[in-house]
């Protein structure tokens, strides 16, 4: 027994639900087109980023140890440090450090491709959301593939908020090891957790609920 809006036409007409399938299909149509555009342009941007060649980039940096550093109340005070392919300066506020590093093609690609990878994640999320919306518009919220689309949307959200932001620090870490400066300096990785984990958990819970609903639906069909 498949759930459909036509099972309760009077209730659906009273609350205007009979218009929802058309609206949902329209949303799915635009979501699919936008998702395709985001994926295509994002992938083109990633290829362009990794093909741009070496160059200089600036990063926030942690000072691990320096021969000219002096400790004062737990803070490191260090004059401008110049190395081969790397310059470290105090920020204008004096509370942090920035590093301008000469990067290789791959290292620079990891930095410049961040926004393009975010676009790719958004595109795939929109595509999987379009498939989900189309199933709801057809009156089949317990379609066997709906939990899969939700899990993939959760994965896209997790990658875009917890993996992609780590690419610039990873590029800096690779450059520091290449320049043999990793003993004195380290990348600023930032806070590892993001509030988007709540939405990831919500999508996974919803996927589990739809999977359970599918099982109950199959049980009802078997009893009829």
């Amino acid at each position: 027994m498949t759930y459909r809006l036509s099972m309760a036409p009077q209730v659906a007409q009273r609350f205007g639900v009979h218009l929802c399938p058309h609206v949902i299909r329209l949303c799915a149509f635009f979501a699919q087109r936008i998702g395709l555009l985001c994926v295509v342009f994002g992938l083109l941007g990633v290829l362009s980023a990794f093909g741009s060649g070496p160059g200089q980039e600036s990063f926030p940096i942690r000072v691990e140890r320096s021969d000219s550093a002096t400790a004062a109340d737990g803070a490191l005070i260090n004059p401008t440090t110049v190395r081969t392919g790397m310059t470290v300066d105090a920020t204008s506020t004096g509370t942090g450090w920035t590093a301008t590093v000469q990067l290789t093609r791959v290292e620079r690609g990891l930095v410049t491709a961040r926004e393009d990878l975010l676009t790719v994640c958004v595109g795939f999320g929109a595509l999987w959301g379009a498939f989900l919306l189309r199933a709801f518009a057809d009156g089949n919220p317990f379609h066997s593939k709906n939990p899969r689309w939700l899990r993939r949307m959760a994965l896209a959200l997790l990658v875009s908020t917890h993996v992609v932001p780590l690419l610039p620090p990873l590029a800096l870490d690779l450059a520091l090891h290449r320049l043999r400066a990793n003993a004195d300096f380290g990348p600023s990785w930032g806070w590892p957790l993001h509030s988007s984990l709540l939405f990831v958990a919500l999508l996974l819970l919803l996927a589990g609920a739809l999977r359970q609903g599918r099982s109950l639906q199959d049980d009802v069909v078997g009893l009829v």
Side-chain angles (χ1 to χ4, degrees), residues 123-222:
F124 277 116
L127 285 175
W128 295 325
F131 298 149
L132 185 68
L133 288 174
R134 191 172 291 113
F136 274 84
D138 293 337
N140 190 11
F142 301 129
H143 192 279
S144 59
K145 292 184 178 180
N146 284 353
R148 184 191 309 171
W149 304 137
L150 284 172
R151 288 194 298 268
R152 291 182 178 180
M153 291 172 65
L155 177 61
L157 180 58
L158 185 65
V159 170
S160 62
T161 56
H162 286 79
V163 177
V164 174
L166 297 179
L167 295 181
L170 175 61
L172 176 59
D173 189 56
L174 294 175
L176 292 175
H177 280 80
R178 176 173 53 82
L179 298 172
R180 297 183 178 180
N182 55 299
D184 296 334
F185 307 101
S188 179
W189 295 100
W191 183 248
L193 299 179
H194 194 271
S195 58
S196 62
L197 282 177
L198 296 176
F199 294 98
V200 172
L202 181 62
L203 289 173
L204 293 177
L205 289 174
L206 184 57
L210 292 182
R211 185 174 62 251
Q212 185 66 24
R214 175 71 180 187
S215 299
L216 293 175
Q217 179 177 282
D218 293 339
D219 292 341
V220 172
V221 173

Side-chain angles (χ1 to χ4, degrees), residues 6-199:
S6 58
M7 294 176 63
Q10 295 180 352
V11 176
Q13 184 175 4
R14 177 179 178 181
F15 292 97
V17 182
H18 61 289
L19 298 178
C20 285
H22 306 288
V23 176
I24 296 175
R25 286 192 182 92
L26 184 63
C27 293
F29 174 83
F30 284 110
Q32 185 177 19
R33 269 57 181 180
I34 292 173
L36 286 173
L37 289 176
C38 289
V39 170
V40 171
F41 284 104
L43 291 177
L44 290 176
V46 171
L47 294 176
S48 176
F50 280 94
S52 59
Q56 289 187 342
E57 296 289 341
S58 295
F59 306 87
I61 197 171
R62 292 183 294 106
V63 179
E64 303 287 359
R65 176 181 62 82
S66 180
D67 296 335
S68 59
T70 59
D73 297 331
L76 285 174
I77 302 173
N78 197 335
T80 301
T81 303
V82 180
R83 293 170 174 263
T84 303
M86 177 178 175
T87 303
V88 180
D89 299 286
T91 60
S92 58
T93 60
T95 59
W97 306 86
T98 59
T100 302
V101 186
Q102 183 68 28
L103 302 177
T104 63
R105 175 182 296 181
V106 175
E107 293 165 353
R108 194 179 183 210
L110 291 174
V111 177
T112 57
R114 178 180 58 178
E115 294 182 357
D116 298 310
L117 288 173
L118 286 175
T119 303
V120 173
C121 291
V122 171
F124 277 116
L127 285 175
W128 295 325
F131 298 149
L132 185 68
L133 288 174
R134 191 172 291 113
F136 274 84
D138 293 337
N140 190 11
F142 301 129
H143 192 279
S144 59
K145 292 184 178 180
N146 284 353
R148 184 191 309 171
W149 304 137
L150 284 172
R151 288 194 298 268
R152 291 182 178 180
M153 291 172 65
L155 177 61
L157 180 58
L158 185 65
V159 170
S160 62
T161 56
H162 286 79
V163 177
V164 174
L166 297 179
L167 295 181
L170 175 61
L172 176 59
D173 189 56
L174 294 175
L176 292 175
H177 280 80
R178 176 173 53 82
L179 298 172
R180 297 183 178 180
N182 55 299
D184 296 334
F185 307 101
S188 179
W189 295 100
W191 183 248
L193 299 179
H194 194 271
S195 58
S196 62
L197 282 177
L198 296 176
F199 294 98

